Structures are given as C-alpha cells and as structure tokens.
Amino acid sequence: MLTPTERAIREAGLRVTQPRLAVLNALDAIPHADTQTIIEAARKTLPGVSHQAVYNCLDALTHAGLIRRIELAGSPARYELRPGDNHHHLVCRECGVVIDVACSKGVAPCLTLTTEQTQGFEIEEAEVVYRGLCPECATTPSPHRRQLP
Amino acid sequence: MLTPTERAIREAGLRVTQPRLAVLNALDAIPHADTQTIIEAARKTLPGVSHQAVYNCLDALTHAGLIRRIELAGSPARYELRPGDNHHHLVCRECGVVIDVACSKGVAPCLTLTTEQTQGFEIEEAEVVYRGLCPECATTPSPHRRQLP
DNA sequence: ACCTAATCTTGACATATTCAAGAAAACGGG
DNA sequence: CCCGTTTTCTTGAATATGTCAAGATTAGGT
C-alpha cells in the first residue's frame, strides 16, 4: 500500500526514493522554500542526503509536474507543491517573502493573447508575479534589503 | 548640452560616466540582453570596462528606474530599457529567446487584486511571463535544451 | 533472491554575482 | 580653468548557486 505521495511519484514514472520523499515533505512543510532551505529540511528527515540528490529530485519532480519552480529576481530558485491549481504570487521587494494569491477569474481573461500577439509562439502557460511591500516592510522605516541609499 | 540619455542619467541623481553610457547603448542595441552579452557589447564601445563596473551600472540604473531586470528560470539575469511602458514577455522554454508582447488591455483588468486578496501588501507592479515554444523550436524535433529524455 | 536501470554519493568544476581596497573620474565651487 | 569632495571604476579575490562525471547503491520487476 502506497501513500498518496508515493502513488503520485510512481504515476509520474519515477521510483519512490528516500530523497524524493524527503524533498516532498520539506515542500509540504515549507511553501515556496528556496533550494538551500529544502536541502536543510530534507536532512532533518534524511540526515546525510547530498545536495546533488536534492537538485536531482527537484529537477525530476519539476519535469514530472509534481512541483513547480519559481524564479524570482535576486534570490535563488524556489519550489512549491501542486503546480496545477490556478494561483499566482505576491513578492515583497524588501524582505523577499512570497505568498499565494488565487487567480480571481478562473482562466484569467487578460492572459489570453491574440494570434497576432503571439507571433507564432505556442503558449503553454502564463505566470504572474505581483511585486510590492508586505505589511511588515510597509510599516517599518528602512532597515531592510536592497534599497537605494 | 546633454543627450537625452545623459539627461535621464543626471535626472536620476547619477553621474554620467562612460560605463553607464556604454551599458545603455548596449541595451538599446540588444533588447533583453543577459549580463554576459551586455559586458561584451559594452566593451565594443569602451574596451577595457570591468565586469564589476557593468554590474554596478546595471544595479544603479535598475534602482534609478532607467532599466528593468528580468529574471527567468535557468538563465542569467536579463535587462531591458524603458521599464515604464506596459508590456510583458514571451519566453521560449527550449531556446530561451525573449520577445515583447504589448498588454492588450492597457491597465490589465485581471491584474487588479481585491483588498482581501492582497492581505495588506502594497502592490507596486504586476509582471507577466508567458512560457511556450517559439516558432523555430516548435517545428524542430528535439535537438535543443532542457528536455526530459 | 537476482538483475538491470534508475538514482544517489562524492568531489571537482562552472558560472553568476558580490566584496573590499585603492585608483580614477565627475562635477560643483572658487 | 583648476581643486576638492564624492562617486564611480579597477583589480583581484571570494561567495553562492548550480552542474558534471564516475563509481556505488537502491528500487522494483521477474
């Protein structure tokens, strides 16, 4: 008998291994974790796992569609579970925190391009990132990151 | 008498320097150039310019709002001129080419979030990335990048 | 239990970016 | 036009993130 997580891995055509379970557990516990954080979290359940194994898992699980890679300016790659559900991200430009925001319109109307606009591209997905200040950074004067002097 | 480019640099509170002009010229000639490409292009007009100077310029000009940084999964940072005009990007997942696409709706309707959705964030901008295959990669069988075996 | 392919470990390597100290350049005032 | 102050650049090393490759181990079908 397989757990749902194990079943999902198998159904993606991948073998169920300790590093993969550790990575998925880490992502379940820490949404939008960056690579370093995932490595550290995975080592709590699987002490000696190599960083290379974690990179391999992240690549394999991303290609399999079980997780999704989020790349944001100025910080290492982050990953999240359940790429299928239709949501986007709010990113604080000061502290880098990422939170989910549901897409209010289902299939978002302005994310549909005309044939003329796509210029022959076959569009597969649209990704939206909202940038701004989180409540903490908006109220705190300045002692944060990446700000002009 | 200053050129428009020089005036823009001054009005941003920055000094007009050879490296900054070289970087802006490079970006004018090569839209969506990555850092390495910018360094090479800048050295055509200013032969010995250091990579560090180019990084400094890119940071300063980004903070000043004269250029915009675009970060895409798996490739180094890219930059573009005129961040103010309302457009988004189409990215080929095989060859990495980036092209502009105008936002068809002016102020895009679905990019407006409700107060409940923003959870206290002060949103400053929304960024949209469309991913897919460019015409060349869509018609060519496979000998490209980043594809599962 | 055995076999084979997939996956992991190890350690070096590659690439992108940042740090820090001194030298050079920009530009406002004399 | 030259000087002084401050910004910016050069140089060279360091850090961070991610990749490569060879051999050992493991998963899972038979």
Side-chain angles (χ1 to χ4, degrees), chain B residues 10 15-16 35 51-52 55 76-77:
Chain B
R10 297 302 304 282
R15 292 185 178 177
V16 177
T35 313
H51 72 124
Q52 182 63 70
Y55 276 104

Side-chain angles (χ1 to χ4, degrees), chain A residues 13 16 19 28 30 39 51 93 114 118 124 135:
Chain A
V16 176
D28 187 47
I30 311 172
I39 291 172
H51 72 126
R93 70 167 158 78
T114 65
T118 60
E124 293 170 346

Side-chain angles (χ1 to χ4, degrees), chain A residues 121, chain B residues 72 78 90-99 134-137 145:
Chain A
F121 261 69
Chain B
L72 302 168
R78 291 163 184 267
L90 253 111
V91 182
C92 176
R93 70 167 158 78
E94 288 262 336
C95 69
V97 67
V98 178
I99 67 172
C134 72
E136 288 75 34
C137 293
R145 302 193 322 186

Side-chain angles (χ1 to χ4, degrees), chain A residues 1-143:
Chain A
M1 62 185 194
L2 301 172
T3 67
T5 298
E6 290 172 342
R7 183 187 311 278
I9 296 174
R10 298 299 304 282
E11 284 174 357
L14 298 174
R15 292 185 177 179
V16 176
T17 67
Q18 293 303 310
R20 284 171 185 168
L21 292 173
V23 164
L24 289 174
N25 280 339
L27 283 173
D28 187 47
I30 311 172
H32 314 118
D34 64 28
T35 313
Q36 194 55 45
T37 304
I38 296 167
I39 291 172
E40 286 159 16
R43 283 179 178 157
K44 288 193 180 146
T45 52
L46 190 65
V49 68
S50 66
H51 72 126
Q52 183 63 69
V54 173
Y55 276 105
N56 287 347
C57 292
L58 291 171
D59 276 2
L61 295 171
T62 300
H63 282 133
L66 295 182
I67 65 177
R68 177 176 170 188
R69 178 181 175 121
I70 314 165
E71 188 102 2
L72 301 168
S75 83
R78 292 162 184 267
Y79 292 85
E80 67 181 358
L81 293 178
R82 290 169 323 176
D85 66 352
N86 187 22
H87 74 272
H88 300 304
H89 295 110
L90 252 111
V91 182
C92 176
R93 70 167 158 78
E94 287 262 336
C95 69
V97 66
V98 179
I99 68 172
D100 290 339
V101 56
C103 186
S104 54
K105 309 289 163 83
V107 178
C110 79
L111 297 181
T112 310
L113 298 176
T114 65
T115 308
E116 187 181 349
Q117 284 178 311
T118 60
Q119 300 176 53
F121 261 69
E122 291 177 9
I123 307 291
E124 293 170 346
E125 64 168 351
E127 186 183 331
V128 183
V129 177
Y130 300 91
R131 296 182 186 282
L133 289 175
C134 72
E136 287 75 34
C137 293
T139 53
T140 307
S142 59

